[in-house]
Amino acid sequence: DAGVIQSPRHEVTEMGQEVTLRCKPISGHDYLFWYRQTMMRGLELLIYFNNNVPIDDSGMPEDRFSAKMPNASFSTLKIQPSEPRDSAVYFCASSQDRGAAGNTIYFGEGSWLTVV
Amino acid sequence: QQQVKQSPQSLIVQKGGISIINCAYENTAFDYFPWYQQFPGKGPALLIAIRPDVSEKKEGRFTISFNKSAKQFSLHIMDSQPGDSATYFCAASMRRVQGGKLIFGQGTELSVKP
C-alpha cells in the first residue's frame, strides 16, 4: 500500500494568499484526520471525518480554515487568507475502525507550509 | 481533562543506555495508549501501544509500563541506539468513541550519542 499521500510537500506563500493542502487516505480506511504540528503547540487535531462526513471540527483555529472530503479517496484543507502564524507542518492521517482492538492511525509525510 | 502531559521535553542518552519517557493523563475514559515515533521530515508512525487491562507490554527493546491507578504510562527503550534518535509522542484515545482520535503529548526529542 502506498500509505497516506499528501501534496504539496512544501509550500511557501505570501500572507493573504489561499492555500490548499491535499490528502489521499489509505484505501479502505473510513476515518481521516487533519493534524497540525508546531514547536509551540505540538500535534493538534484540527478536524476529522468518518465515511466522508465531518465529525468534529472543534480544533479548526478559525473561519479562515476549512476542510472537505468529497469522496473516500480525497480530502482538502484550505486556508484563506493565510497568515504567517499558520506556518506549520500539516499532517493528514487515516485509520480503519477496528473497535475494541484500537485504531492504528497512519500519518502522511506532511505538508510543510511557510507563510511569509 | 483531554490533555496528555509528557516529560521530559528532550533527552540525551549514551549508546547502550536506557531511555525513559513519561506521560500522564486525567481522563479515565481513555482506554488506548499508543506511542508514536517521528523522524525528521517524516510523519509520526506507531511504535507500540497498550490497553489499560495490562500493566506492561514489550516489543523488542521497547516496553510500555502502565499504572492505571496513577494514570501514568511510560516508554522504556533498552540498549538505546543512535538509530533510535527521534521525537517520541505518547497519545491517548477512546477506542469506541470518535474513531479513536488521538490526543498527543508534547513530544520528547531523544538523542542517543555513540
Side-chain angles (χ1 to χ4, degrees):
Chain A
D1 201 320
V4 177
I5 299 173
Q6 291 187 246
S7 65
R9 288 295 319 277
H10 299 270
E11 175 139 355
V12 180
T13 190
E14 290 185 348
M15 182 173 62
Q17 296 297 305
E18 178 179 292
V19 173
T20 299
L21 308 178
R22 297 173 177 80
C23 175
K24 176 179 167 57
I26 294 173
S27 176
H29 282 193
D30 42 10
Y31 284 92
L32 183 139
F33 306 84
W34 282 100
Y35 281 87
R36 178 172 68 175
Q37 185 175 32
T38 61
M39 288 295 293
M40 290 297 295
R41 300 175 68 89
L43 275 161
E44 303 173 275
L45 178 64
L46 301 177
I47 185 171
Y48 77 98
F49 296 81
N50 178 216
N51 292 323
N52 315 336
V53 177
I55 302 300
D56 183 355
D57 65 355
S58 59
M60 296 285 259
E62 48 198 276
D63 292 346
R64 297 184 297 107
F65 286 70
S66 63
K68 293 182 179 179
M69 191 167 186
N71 58 62
S73 59
F74 184 67
S75 177
T76 59
L77 178 68
K78 189 172 292 188
I79 308 172
Q80 167 63 19
S82 58
E83 297 182 2
R85 59 192 168 123
D86 301 331
S87 298
V89 184
Y90 291 82
F91 287 103
C92 178
S94 69
S95 72
Q96 185 175 43
D97 190 355
R98 300 191 304 150
N103 296 354
T104 297
I105 296 181
Y106 295 86
F107 285 78
E109 296 205 324
S111 291
W112 295 65
L113 174 65
T114 302
V115 183
V116 297
Chain B
Q1 266 236 330
Q2 288 292 319
Q3 282 187 325
V4 178
K5 295 182 180 179
Q6 183 173 346
S7 64
Q9 273 192 311
S10 62
L11 182 61
I12 299 174
V13 173
Q14 289 297 122
K15 179 182 175 182
I18 302 173
S19 304
I20 301 175
I21 305 170
N22 301 298
C23 284
Y25 64 98
E26 288 295 323
N27 190 344
T28 55
F30 287 142
D31 61 1
Y32 183 65
F33 302 90
W35 285 87
Y36 277 72
Q37 180 187 55
Q38 184 180 27
F39 292 105
K42 301 293 186 182
L46 178 67
L47 183 63
I48 186 173
I50 196 168
R51 297 198 296 254
D53 51 346
V54 298
S55 59
E56 186 175 282
K57 183 173 181 180
K58 184 176 181 179
E59 289 184 2
R61 296 184 294 109
F62 300 90
T63 299
I64 300 178
S65 297
F66 188 84
N67 185 331
K68 189 173 181 178
S69 60
K71 292 185 283 187
Q72 294 175 348
F73 57 111
S74 60
L75 176 70
H76 296 235
I77 306 174
M78 311 300 288
D79 186 26
S80 299
Q81 299 296 312
D84 297 330
S85 297
T87 301
Y88 292 81
F89 294 92
C90 62
S93 73
M94 291 173 269
R95 284 171 286 160
R96 292 183 179 82
V97 178
Q98 299 178 331
K101 72 175 185 179
L102 294 171
I103 307 299
F104 283 94
Q106 283 293 96
T108 296
E109 190 171 348
L110 171 65
S111 178
V112 181
K113 299 299 185 186

